[in-house]
Amino acid sequence: MLIPPTYAQQLHSWFSDLQNRICHALEVIEEESQILDIYQNWQSGKFEKRHWDFQQNGGGQMRILENGRVFEKAGVNVSCVLGEFAKEFAAQIPGASQDPSFWACGLSLVIHPRNPYVPIVHMNTRHIITTKSWFGGGIDLTPCVTNDADAEFFHQELQSCCNRFNPDYYPKFKKWCDEYFYITHRNEARGIGGIFYDYHNTDNFENDHAFNQAVGETFLKTYPEIVRRNMEKIWSQPEIDTQMKKRGRYVEFNLIYDRGTQFGLKTGGNAEAILMSLPPTASWPA
Amino acid sequence: MLIPPTYAQQLHSWFSDLQNRICHALEVIEEESQILDIYQNWQSGKFEKRHWDFQQNGGGQMRILENGRVFEKAGVNVSCVLGEFAKEFAAQIPGASQDPSFWACGLSLVIHPRNPYVPIVHMNTRHIITTKSWFGGGIDLTPCVTNDADAEFFHQELQSCCNRFNPDYYPKFKKWCDEYFYITHRNEARGIGGIFYDYHNTDNFENDHAFNQAVGETFLKTYPEIVRRNMEKIWSQPEIDTQMKKRGRYVEFNLIYDRGTQFGLKTGGNAEAILMSLPPTASWPA
């Protein structure tokens, strides 16, 4: 069994701190929305905490906001676990084929807004250790209604974040994101992309950690801004129908293709935490 | 490339005839429901036909009833296709590891009723030919509200159907069904089971075909009866919440575990026809 690294506490503190700041930022938006009549049927949401234990060692804390004004369902999870990969899985993981021990710590979030004009967002940043170690993560946006200005702002901020570390990152990680979040059987992208990176290790832990942190900061800089730009827009049934169908596609991607979901469910992870990414409602019209 | 068997026409005619009779039986129920006030917000549904072509050879006919009174979404598909399995798939299919050619013909249906007291049902009966050949299929029921009398009636009729062929069938195929329709990550069954059989070949084609036909007849004998027993029951929001959550589990099973779905999507099948099994709406409360 692997021993948690000396920097485990540093990483866990970062992810927990990021979780606090993200949940706070979303709760502030819930409060702000009180002046908007379109949300009068709902109460301002607050995050509820749920702890869970991993079967072998470690666990996590889920923060769930449900049925809020602006956010219909938001899950922001931090988990830190120590375990061993199942044999059939270990062979696919760098550095795990001989010794299946792993340590993994990360933050994962998915936010499903009520207003179809506010895009769905997903972010994940994580650190994994086997006999090797690396960072992985990304942010991607799934609007139900096309909005070029938001898309441009979002991608520019991601590019600017990446460029502070390496000019090659953005084109590489954007492409990776487009390829990863693709619903092959529908021949369509899940959303408008963003960045995705994995097995990220430049032999400079501090720098790689700083990049991973910068991705988290970029979430805080972009998503609340995009929410505020759109949350006052009035929607009606056709936009809800579009949103429900888009949410259905989101479910298809997550259950059929998402490696994190497959990984989690197959390594005996907490199903409730893993499937927190699923939308509050979805539809599949015939 | 495999040549369709001499009995291809016989099988295709049977599946098409069964499709006609099932769709008619459901439309009759839609008409009957006109006297029930609880369905007054909706119109009686009629099946719409949609043809599709398989990439290599053959195709199918989907029959879709959407937004009816009793049936919120029902898909009854017949497909007959001639093709070749992809290499990574052929090794898992009996008789296909050397020669990946296959011929497959079958009927598949999933019905999602509006009333939470009326159970969801799934049936599939099919014949597949590689260098070997076999029948496969089954029926299983997913009630949102427990109903012991329905469950007993349904299982008794399936047992009686099986017993006309072989007393070993029912216990074997019921167990197979319970094991197959299990949502491992939730530690729960998808529904109350039924029967499931595959690679079914007793070296007596006529008898095996007759068994497959008897399963189709048992659907016609049981499901319309179960619908009529429950369709007048008045529901309210708590039962809808239960139904929406059960539908969410149905989606999880179909997208994560169902071999037919994986098989269809991975062999370049028609995504629209394959995913017709998904419920019209579903929910994942936090």
Side-chain angles (χ1 to χ4, degrees):
Chain A
M1 181 65 83
L2 202 140
I3 293 160
T6 49
Y7 56 82
Q9 193 52 50
Q10 179 193 0
L11 284 174
H12 189 224
S13 295
W14 159 252
F15 289 123
S16 292
D17 179 58
L18 182 62
Q19 182 185 40
N20 284 334
R21 288 163 62 210
I22 289 172
C23 292
H24 178 71
L26 300 177
E27 287 180 347
V28 166
I29 290 174
E30 283 289 310
E31 290 300 322
E32 282 174 22
S33 70
Q34 293 199 37
I35 56 162
L36 300 173
D37 281 348
I38 46 172
Y39 301 107
Q40 67 186 353
N41 290 337
W42 300 282
Q43 305 280 315
S44 291
K46 285 275 178 198
F47 276 94
E48 176 203 322
K49 293 177 189 176
R50 289 188 205 164
H51 290 270
W52 57 273
D53 294 317
F54 185 61
Q55 49 181 6
Q56 290 161 300
N57 215 327
Q61 190 191 73
M62 293 160 56
R63 301 266 180 98
I64 298 139
L65 188 159
E66 196 179 20
N67 214 17
R69 285 178 205 271
V70 177
F71 304 111
E72 194 172 335
K73 183 176 171 187
V76 184
N77 302 324
V78 166
S79 62
C80 268
V81 298
L82 189 65
E84 295 201 354
F85 292 119
K87 271 198 191 107
E88 64 274 23
F89 224 74
Q92 305 169 33
I93 310 282
S97 56
Q98 297 300 316
D99 177 355
S101 306
F102 74 93
W103 181 85
C105 193
L107 178 147
S108 175
L109 69 80
V110 175
I111 298 168
H112 293 281
R114 188 179 298 287
N115 190 329
Y117 287 100
V118 182
I120 303 163
V121 73
H122 160 252
M123 177 177 77
N124 180 288
T125 60
R126 60 189 176 271
H127 186 72
I128 294 178
I129 306 178
T130 58
T131 59
K132 302 186 177 186
S133 71
W134 64 90
F135 286 92
I139 318 182
D140 69 287
L141 205 64
T142 305
C144 301
V145 180
T146 303
N147 185 322
D148 292 340
D150 287 349
E152 201 176 319
F153 166 67
F154 178 67
H155 277 286
Q156 273 177 354
E157 289 296 332
L158 285 172
Q159 184 167 26
S160 142
C161 162
C162 289
N163 284 352
R164 291 204 304 277
F165 294 84
N166 186 324
D168 296 338
Y169 283 1
Y170 177 71
K172 184 179 168 193
F173 298 160
K174 178 187 187 302
K175 183 163 175 277
W176 203 340
C177 187
D178 287 341
E179 286 164 1
Y180 183 81
F181 292 104
Y182 194 77
I183 306 173
T184 310
H185 65 271
R186 298 282 190 183
N187 289 320
E188 62 186 52
R190 182 170 86 168
I192 60 154
I195 59 168
F196 182 94
Y197 53 100
D198 207 355
Y199 316 119
H200 187 67
N201 184 339
T202 65
D203 286 329
N204 181 337
F205 175 83
E206 288 306 327
N207 204 49
D208 294 345
H209 179 38
F211 172 64
N212 215 48
Q213 288 178 304
V215 172
E217 299 294 348
T218 303
F219 174 85
L220 280 165
K221 189 173 178 186
T222 55
Y223 191 66
E225 165 68 20
I226 290 170
V227 173
R228 288 191 174 90
R229 288 180 181 190
N230 294 289
M231 65 192 257
E232 298 186 19
K233 292 182 181 166
I234 293 164
W235 72 87
S236 55
Q237 194 57 43
E239 292 94 317
I240 288 289
D241 293 345
T242 303
Q243 181 191 47
M244 288 286 282
K245 214 172 139 182
K246 199 76 182 171
R247 286 177 173 182
R249 298 290 202 266
Y250 213 86
V251 171
E252 289 177 28
F253 179 83
N254 285 18
L255 298 185
I256 299 178
Y257 301 104
D258 188 57
R259 290 188 310 159
T261 303
Q262 300 275 336
F263 174 92
L265 296 178
K266 286 181 183 169
T267 52
N270 182 291
E272 197 196 355
I274 294 161
L275 299 177
M276 191 52 63
S277 64
L278 299 180
T281 56
S283 81
W284 286 268
Chain B
M1 181 64 85
L2 202 141
I3 294 160
T6 50
Y7 57 82
Q9 193 52 51
Q10 179 193 0
L11 283 174
H12 189 224
S13 295
W14 158 254
F15 288 123
S16 291
D17 180 58
L18 182 62
Q19 183 186 39
N20 284 335
R21 289 162 62 210
I22 289 171
C23 291
H24 178 70
L26 300 177
E27 286 181 347
V28 166
I29 291 173
E30 283 288 311
E31 289 301 321
E32 283 174 22
S33 70
Q34 293 199 35
I35 56 164
L36 300 173
D37 280 350
I38 45 172
Y39 301 107
Q40 67 186 352
N41 291 338
W42 300 283
Q43 305 280 314
S44 291
K46 285 276 179 197
F47 276 94
E48 175 204 322
K49 294 176 188 175
R50 288 188 206 163
H51 290 271
W52 58 272
D53 295 318
F54 185 62
Q55 50 181 5
Q56 290 161 301
N57 214 328
Q61 191 191 71
M62 293 161 55
R63 301 266 180 97
I64 298 139
L65 189 159
E66 196 179 20
N67 214 16
R69 285 178 204 272
V70 177
F71 304 111
E72 194 171 335
K73 183 177 172 187
V76 184
N77 302 323
V78 166
S79 61
C80 267
V81 298
L82 189 65
E84 295 200 353
F85 292 118
K87 271 200 190 103
E88 65 274 24
F89 224 72
Q92 305 169 32
I93 311 283
S97 56
Q98 297 301 316
D99 177 354
S101 304
F102 73 94
W103 181 85
C105 193
L107 179 146
S108 175
L109 69 79
V110 175
I111 298 167
H112 292 281
R114 188 179 299 286
N115 190 329
Y117 287 100
V118 181
I120 304 163
V121 73
H122 159 252
M123 178 177 76
N124 181 287
T125 61
R126 60 189 178 271
H127 186 73
I128 292 177
I129 306 179
T130 59
T131 59
K132 303 186 177 187
S133 72
W134 64 90
F135 286 92
I139 317 181
D140 70 286
L141 205 64
T142 305
C144 300
V145 180
T146 303
N147 184 321
D148 292 339
D150 287 349
E152 202 176 317
F153 165 67
F154 178 67
H155 276 285
Q156 273 176 355
E157 290 297 330
L158 285 172
Q159 184 168 26
S160 142
C161 162
C162 289
N163 284 352
R164 293 204 303 278
F165 294 85
N166 186 323
D168 296 337
Y169 283 2
Y170 177 72
K172 184 179 167 191
F173 298 161
K174 178 188 188 300
K175 182 163 175 277
W176 202 339
C177 187
D178 287 340
E179 286 165 0
Y180 183 82
F181 291 105
Y182 195 77
I183 306 172
T184 310
H185 64 271
R186 297 283 190 182
N187 289 321
E188 62 186 50
R190 182 172 84 167
I192 60 154
I195 58 168
F196 182 93
Y197 52 101
D198 207 354
Y199 317 117
H200 186 67
N201 184 341
T202 65
D203 285 329
N204 181 336
F205 176 84
E206 287 307 327
N207 204 50
D208 293 345
H209 180 37
F211 171 64
N212 215 47
Q213 288 177 304
V215 172
E217 299 294 349
T218 303
F219 175 85
L220 279 165
K221 189 173 176 187
T222 54
Y223 190 67
E225 165 68 20
I226 290 169
V227 172
R228 288 191 175 90
R229 288 181 181 188
N230 295 290
M231 65 193 257
E232 299 186 20
K233 292 180 180 165
I234 293 163
W235 72 86
S236 54
Q237 195 56 43
E239 292 95 318
I240 289 287
D241 292 345
T242 303
Q243 181 191 48
M244 288 286 282
K245 212 173 141 182
K246 198 78 180 169
R247 287 177 173 182
R249 298 289 201 266
Y250 214 85
V251 171
E252 289 178 27
F253 179 83
N254 286 17
L255 298 185
I256 299 177
Y257 300 105
D258 188 57
R259 291 187 310 159
T261 303
Q262 300 275 337
F263 175 93
L265 295 178
K266 285 179 183 169
T267 52
N270 181 292
E272 197 196 354
I274 295 160
L275 299 178
M276 191 50 65
S277 64
L278 299 180
T281 55
S283 80
W284 286 271

